[in-house]
Each structure stands twice: as C-alpha cells, then as structure tokens.
C-alpha cells in the first residue's frame, strides 16, 4: 500500500510531507515526494494507493484505559459466562474503537470476583490468538489488559464495587497472567495497602504498576515508585489533590521522571485548566490520554451498566446512583480533539494518544509511531477540522 500526499506525523520531526509504503501489516519505507523510491515503483499496478491530500497522517491511536462502548462492557457479567459471548463482545468493542481511529486497545477490568476476572483473561487470550491467526482484521488490535482493581482503597473506590476489593496478592496476579497468555500489561493498585510494595518489587519485571484509587501521601507514593511502579491511573481522579504542603501521589509522580500519567480529557472529569496544567507539569513525553469510556460511549442518554453496577448517563455524564462518576462516554479520538480545542498543541496531543500510551505499557517496539518496521496503523484526519477521513490497519481501510 502507498499512502501519499499527506502531512505525516513523526515523533522526531513533527508533521512532514512524506509518502508511506507498507507491506502486509508493517511500514516498509518513508520518503519524500520526488525520491527514487516512488518513481521506481509507480509501475506496480497492483499496489493500493491512498491519496491523503489535505490530511494529517497520524499513527493509529492506542487506548490503554477504557471499559466499553456501544452497549458492550469488557466486564459484562453475561458475556464472560461463555467464551463465544466474550469473543463477540470484544469484536463489537473493537469494531467501534477502530471506526474512531483507535487501532490498538488495552481494555480495563473492574473489581470483580476472581472467577470473573479469570474468565475475562481466558477469553481475551482466545481473542488475541484469533487475531494473530488472521481473524478479526476489521477490529482494533487487542494489545493488552489493564487490571484496574481489585487492589484498591475502598475510600477511593469511585465506581468500583467495594464488595470485591482485596489486598494485593502476587499469587493471584501470576494466575491471571497465565490465564491471559501474558496479556496483562498494566495493574492499578493503591500503594498504602498491606502487601503492595512487596508485590510491586516481586513483579516489576512482569507488569507495569500504576498508582490509582488511592489515599496515599507523597512518601508512600514515592516508596511505590522506588519499588518499581511507573504509572498513575486517571490523574486527579480518585486520589488526594496536589497541595503545596501535601503533594501526594501527583507530586510523587512529578518527581519520578520515568512515570507516565493518564489523563481523561472528556470535558467532565477534569477542567480545561487542569488539563493544560497537567501537560505543563508532565510534558508531552509523559502524558497519556485515555477515554475511560464505558458501554454508553456511542449511544444516547439512558441507563447502562459498568462492572455489574447500574449507571445513569445524562448529557454526556455517567454516574452511579450515589453520584460517583462512572467512566466517560467519549472515545480517545474525542479526547484528542478536546485537548486541541482547549489549547494543547496538536503535536503534543498526538503523542499523548499514540506513542506515550504504547511506551507506558511496553509495546512501543511495534506500535505508537510511524517508523519503518512498526505496525501499519494509521489515522487520517482532515487538516481543517480534524474530522476522520480514513482509518488504516494493515490492509484494512475504513
């Protein structure tokens, strides 16, 4: 495939007028318009050509924290009862995400009974294997699982079900990872819980650990980062605020250069000023945009479910009966556009939705940027209004 005439985003040089040649599912070359690369191959009549005139060509987006969309919950209690239902669930989620430019997904679990988490992990492993053998080419690629819970602080549980919260257990983590076929990439936990620091130290080479749903202070958070944690789950939300004499986990993350921080940019969870401040604090190299979407994303107001709990959605806000925010109803593409609309430079927003999430979970060798040898995942946006023109995943064009 040849993608020509677009402004191509590369991490090192920003937007440049480049052409891209791909093979089956990898990027083969990047070159300028008048190079010998294009003139020497123009006679290949069988090559599919995509005209990207008037478009920004971005890497496909990667969402490492979302729960569902289009009436589908990654942790739906009915779908995990049978493998075929879970596969259908993931297929529906993946199709919608791909249609919104999210070519790689790392969906998040909720705090659930162990048997449900095991079923979700086993089903995800089956789905991943099917994708690797050629099935589901028209859906976003499953690149991981984000285990958000059950190792969370009940005082900061948010929309998590407190009945299933528990202390960290390395035995359970190893068991779930085996059932997931190694798919668990990210584990959210509260560092103040008994057993958290030994758990991080023992498993730091197997998982990326994220601090979230926590009441930890600065010192406890720093201890977790020193033990091996390198991530913050939905910055500002479900954690102590950043105060001048009590900086908490946000201050600890700021003082840990290798730490990535997630940020929900749906216009509900965080104010525009807080979003701009986060980009200033952590820079475009450490910020990870996430949607944290639930099953109402893509649908109208009404009653939905999240991790087995009832959710009311009204005017783009999703809440439990007690008023706690219960995820968002936007996509990562929406978050990128929202960030740009409130003053975040496009280049910074793109990094936060592409390469940064991939680096944060250790998959940037194949995903997240337009480089030779990486996956041929692209999002083409209209240069005038950032509307989606095309989504490309390997040989599939949407």
């Amino acid at each position: 495939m040849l993608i020509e005439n677009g402004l191509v985003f590369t991490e090192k040089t920003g937007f440049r007028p480049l052409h891209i040649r791909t093979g089956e599912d990898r990027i083969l070359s990047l070159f300028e318009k008048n190079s010998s690369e294009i003139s020497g191959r123009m006679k290949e009549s069988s090559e599919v050509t995509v005209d990207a005139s008037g478009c920004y060509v971005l890497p496909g987006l990667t969402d490492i924290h979302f729960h569902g969309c289009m009436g589908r919950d990654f942790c739906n209690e009915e779908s995990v009862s049978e493998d075929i239902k879970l596969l259908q669930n993931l297929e529906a989620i993946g199709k919608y995400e791909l249609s919104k430019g999210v070519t790689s997904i790392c969906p998040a679990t909720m705090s659930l009974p162990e048997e449900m988490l095991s079923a979700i992990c086993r089903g995800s492993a089956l789905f991943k294997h099917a994708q690797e053998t050629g099935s589901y080419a028209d859906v976003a690629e499953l690149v991981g699982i984000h285990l958000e819970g059950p190792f969370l602080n009940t005082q900061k549980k948010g929309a998590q079900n407190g009945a299933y919260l528990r202390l960290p257990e390395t035995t359970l983590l190893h068991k779930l990872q085996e059932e997931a076929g190694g798919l668990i990439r990210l584990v959210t936990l509260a560092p103040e819980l008994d057993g958290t620091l030994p758990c991080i130290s023992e498993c730091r080479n197997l998982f990326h650990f994220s601090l979230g749903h926590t009441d930890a202070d600065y010192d406890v958070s720093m201890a977790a980062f020193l033990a091996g944690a390198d991530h913050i789950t939905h910055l500002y939300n479900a954690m102590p605020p950043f105060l001048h004499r009590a900086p908490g986990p946000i201050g600890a993350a700021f003082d840990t250069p290798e730490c990535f921080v997630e940020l929900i940019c749906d216009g509900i969870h965080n104010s525009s000023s807080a979003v701009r401040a986060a980009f200033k604090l952590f820079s475009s190299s450490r910020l990870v945009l996430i949607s944290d979407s639930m099953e109402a994303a893509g649908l109208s107001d009404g009653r939905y479910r999240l991790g087995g709990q009832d959710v009311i959605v009204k005017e783009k806000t999703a809440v439990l009966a007690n008023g706690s925010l219960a995820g968002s109803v936007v996509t990562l593409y929406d978050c990128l556009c929202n960030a740009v609309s409130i003053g975040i430079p496009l280049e910074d927003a793109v990094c936060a939705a592409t390469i940064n999430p991939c680096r944060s979970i250790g998959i940037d060798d194949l995903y997240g940027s337009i480089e030779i040898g990486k996956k041929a995942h692209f999002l083409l946006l209209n240069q005038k209004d950032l509307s989606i023109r095309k989504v490309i995943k390997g040989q599939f064009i949407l």
Side-chain angles (χ1 to χ4, degrees):
M1 182 183 298
L2 177 66
I3 304 172
E4 59 182 6
N5 302 322
L7 282 178
V8 178
F9 181 81
T10 62
E11 187 183 6
K12 294 181 179 179
T13 61
F15 289 101
R16 291 177 57 201
L18 296 173
H19 299 300
I20 306 168
R21 177 162 274 119
T22 71
E24 185 66 26
D25 70 340
R26 301 295 176 91
I27 298 171
L28 300 180
S29 58
L30 302 171
F31 49 94
E32 296 180 350
K33 184 174 182 178
N34 297 319
S35 73
S36 58
E37 169 76 15
I38 191 167
S39 61
R41 298 220 189 178
M42 285 298 286
K43 295 180 181 180
E44 295 182 10
S45 58
S46 62
E47 184 173 48
V48 174
T49 299
V50 175
D51 185 3
S53 297
C55 291
Y56 294 122
V57 182
L58 314 182
L61 311 185
T62 298
D63 199 344
I64 63 168
H65 189 161
F66 78 106
H67 299 278
C69 55
M70 293 301 290
R72 303 281 185 153
D73 186 340
F74 180 53
C75 296
N76 182 286
E77 56 265 43
E78 296 177 359
S79 69
V80 300
S81 61
E82 298 178 32
D83 287 342
I84 186 62
K85 289 183 178 179
L86 197 145
L87 294 177
Q88 292 170 344
N89 207 40
L90 276 169
E91 180 181 15
I93 289 171
K95 280 190 175 181
Y96 179 73
E97 292 297 322
L98 187 66
S99 75
K100 298 302 181 179
V102 183
T103 56
S104 304
I105 55 173
C106 179
T109 64
M110 296 289 286
S111 296
L112 297 164
E114 181 178 331
E115 60 270 20
M116 284 190 67
L117 291 175
S118 292
I120 292 164
C121 288
R122 290 193 301 269
S124 298
L126 289 174
F127 188 85
K128 179 65 174 177
H129 176 72
Q131 283 197 314
E132 290 174 341
T133 54
S135 300
Y136 304 114
D138 58 343
V139 308
E141 187 170 344
L142 181 66
V143 294
I145 296 171
H146 177 169
L147 199 68
E148 189 186 11
F151 312 132
L152 311 175
N153 188 324
T154 185
Q155 300 301 314
K156 293 290 185 178
K157 67 180 185 297
Q160 300 279 339
N161 192 330
Y164 303 120
L165 299 183
R166 57 198 289 179
L167 297 178
E169 297 178 27
T170 57
T171 301
L172 177 58
L173 278 178
H174 286 297
K175 174 179 177 290
L176 293 176
Q177 184 68 306
E178 182 178 357
E179 291 170 329
L183 267 177
I184 299 175
R185 294 281 182 174
L186 187 62
V187 179
T188 292
L189 36 64
E192 68 272 25
L193 299 180
D194 290 343
T196 296
L197 296 186
C199 179
I200 294 174
S201 296
E202 179 180 330
C203 300
R204 62 185 298 171
N205 294 323
L206 300 175
F207 310 96
H208 289 270
F209 285 100
S210 184
L211 309 191
H213 292 277
T214 175
D215 206 22
D217 61 14
Y218 175 89
D219 291 337
V220 171
S221 301
M222 281 302 299
F225 289 131
L226 291 172
D230 60 3
H231 200 99
I232 286 280
T233 296
H234 42 51
L235 186 75
Y236 300 129
N237 292 275
M239 66 184 61
F242 182 40
L243 302 177
H244 62 297
R245 284 192 295 271
I250 299 175
F254 176 75
D255 284 339
T256 305
E258 65 274 16
C259 176
F260 289 90
V261 297
E262 299 176 356
L263 188 69
I264 308 170
C265 194
D266 64 342
I268 304 294
H269 280 77
N270 302 298
S271 71
S272 298
S273 180
V275 171
R276 290 189 291 267
F279 271 88
K280 288 287 187 180
L281 275 173
F282 294 99
S283 80
S284 61
S285 64
R286 297 172 61 191
L287 228 295
V288 175
L289 288 178
I290 61 166
S291 70
D292 199 15
S293 68
M294 46 82 70
E295 65 175 41
L299 300 176
S300 58
D301 289 354
R303 291 182 176 273
Y304 297 92
R305 302 276 284 174
L306 175 63
Q309 299 184 97
D310 291 328
V311 176
I312 300 170
V313 176
K314 184 177 181 181
E315 296 178 353
K316 298 184 178 180
T317 302
V319 297
L320 299 181
N322 65 8
S324 295
L325 285 173
S328 82
V329 296
V330 301
T331 65
L332 184 57
Y333 162 73
D334 296 321
C335 292
L336 184 153
C337 293
N338 288 343
V340 174
S341 73
I342 61 171
I344 303 302
L346 177 59
E347 292 85 349
D348 293 352
V350 171
C351 285
T354 57
I355 188 61
N356 293 355
C358 293
R359 283 205 179 108
S360 76
I361 62 170
I363 62 169
D364 54 301
D365 57 330
L366 288 177
Y367 305 88
S369 60
I370 299 176
E371 298 179 55
I372 294 172
K374 288 197 175 186
K375 289 293 186 88
H377 292 181
F378 309 101
L379 171 59
L380 276 60
L381 300 182
N382 188 308
Q383 292 175 22
K384 294 181 179 179
D385 60 7
L386 299 186
S387 59
I388 296 177
R389 291 273 291 273
K390 279 184 172 57
V391 181
I392 299 173
K393 175 176 168 274
Q395 297 298 302
F396 182 77
I397 304 176
L398 184 64

